[in-house]
Amino acid sequence: MRIDILTILPKLLESPFQHSILKRAIENKIAEVYLHDIREFSTNKHKNVDDYPYGGGAGMVMTCQPIASAIEHLKKERNYDEIIYLTPDGERHNQKIANQLSLKKNIMMICGHYKGIDQRIRDLFITKEISIGDYVLSGGELAAAVLADSIIRIIPGAISDETSALTDSFQDDLLSPPVYTRPEEFNGLKVPEILFSGDPIKIDNWRMEMAEKITKERRPDLLKD
Ligand code: 6GU
């Protein structure tokens, strides 16, 4: 999979791909991530990327030209399965969307700033609009990092323990059961006895019961369908 991210703050997006699972996935050629500075595509002599909104009001709007030029430059090189705009008014991100996107070959992500991007860019180029939750971020970059992480980590081979991504919270609409490691007792709190039983079926059943209990308590909405 190849992901191209268009942003006015490429530096902000470097670090998330330089650690842990994402770093390894990129090193192992399971994913390629390229950051593109929208400003470099501006034909304006000051390299401007924003302007005042028609109709007035607070805040600036990202102009069409630099974003359109960047998108067209990339589209000339390859076909994109999705061109995603990260925006708080997009479809709320979830595991199902991550699973679907993890099967794609080429994905482009556009990060907005200020009051957002000119609507015509959305009308002309964007195939999917995604929000990562009901709150407002300063820009789309952190959302793009979240989206890319959720996609890359589940590409087969990204996680060494193949079953690990499948047992994640949400992968089966259940939250994860509690986990323990050494020591057996910490500050008077003991590891549940069943985890020492050596009986994998009993342990699996206990984990499933705990997952259901926790999901019922914290996120009953996940159990509804
Ligand atoms: Cl995708 N962008 C911004 N700016 N804020 C958000 C978001 C995206 N998702 C939730 N809040």
Side-chain angles (χ1 to χ4, degrees), residues 3-224:
I3 301 177
D4 288 279
I5 307 180
L6 277 54
T7 168
I8 57 166
L9 300 171
K11 281 255 173 265
L12 177 55
L13 270 170
E14 282 174 8
S15 166
F17 301 103
Q18 291 170 349
H19 304 273
S20 183
I21 291 171
L22 302 193
K23 177 187 179 184
R24 209 162 355 101
I26 291 165
E27 282 172 355
N28 296 339
K29 306 266 155 58
I30 284 159
E32 293 172 89
V33 178
Y34 297 95
L35 306 174
H36 307 273
D37 189 346
I38 292 170
R39 198 174 295 278
E40 287 178 7
F41 291 87
S42 175
T43 54
N44 176 292
K45 66 171 179 284
H46 304 293
K47 298 262 176 223
N48 284 344
V49 293
D50 60 338
D51 207 336
Y52 295 100
Y54 279 123
M60 303 292 275
V61 177
M62 288 178 72
T63 55
C64 289
Q65 181 275 316
I67 303 175
S69 296
I71 294 174
E72 274 161 359
H73 169 78
L74 288 168
K75 279 180 73 168
K76 240 186 275 161
E77 303 295 320
R78 65 194 67 76
N79 289 321
Y80 284 88
D81 301 298
E82 298 284 0
I83 301 182
I84 302 169
Y85 177 45
L86 283 309
T87 176
D89 58 7
E91 180 183 1
R92 179 111 55 92
H93 189 45
N94 58 36
Q95 191 62 49
K96 190 171 150 218
I97 296 171
N99 292 348
Q100 287 166 353
L101 291 176
S102 75
L103 304 173
K104 307 289 186 190
K105 193 161 173 303
N106 297 311
I107 293 175
M108 202 188 302
M109 299 185 190
I110 319 288
C111 305
H113 263 267
Y114 319 113
K115 280 278 159 206
I117 64 175
D118 191 300
Q119 179 61 37
R120 291 165 293 185
I121 291 293
R122 299 167 77 160
D123 297 341
L124 286 168
F125 298 109
I126 300 300
T127 62
K128 203 174 187 58
E129 303 193 323
I130 293 180
S131 160
I132 63 161
D134 292 339
Y135 43 81
V136 179
L137 302 170
S138 314
E141 283 76 14
L142 296 179
V146 167
L147 179 61
D149 186 316
S150 72
I151 295 168
I152 293 168
R153 65 184 296 285
I154 54 177
I155 300 173
I159 297 180
S160 48
D161 176 0
E162 288 276 342
T163 62
S164 176
L166 298 176
T167 58
D168 285 337
S169 270
F170 290 108
Q171 202 49 273
D172 45 11
D173 286 333
L174 286 179
L175 302 181
S176 293
V179 293
Y180 299 88
T181 185
R182 288 184 288 184
E184 286 182 25
E185 185 176 330
F186 182 76
N187 282 13
L189 297 181
K190 287 194 174 124
V191 173
E193 202 61 49
I194 192 151
L195 297 177
F196 302 110
S197 70
D199 183 336
I201 293 169
K202 265 192 189 161
I203 292 171
D204 267 359
N205 287 341
W206 177 82
R207 286 184 172 144
M208 185 52 76
E209 277 165 33
M210 293 302 286
E212 282 169 2
K213 176 171 178 283
I214 289 165
T215 308
K216 213 176 282 175
E217 284 166 6
R218 298 183 187 180
R219 292 294 305 277
D221 57 298
L222 293 176
L223 297 171
K224 286 214 175 86

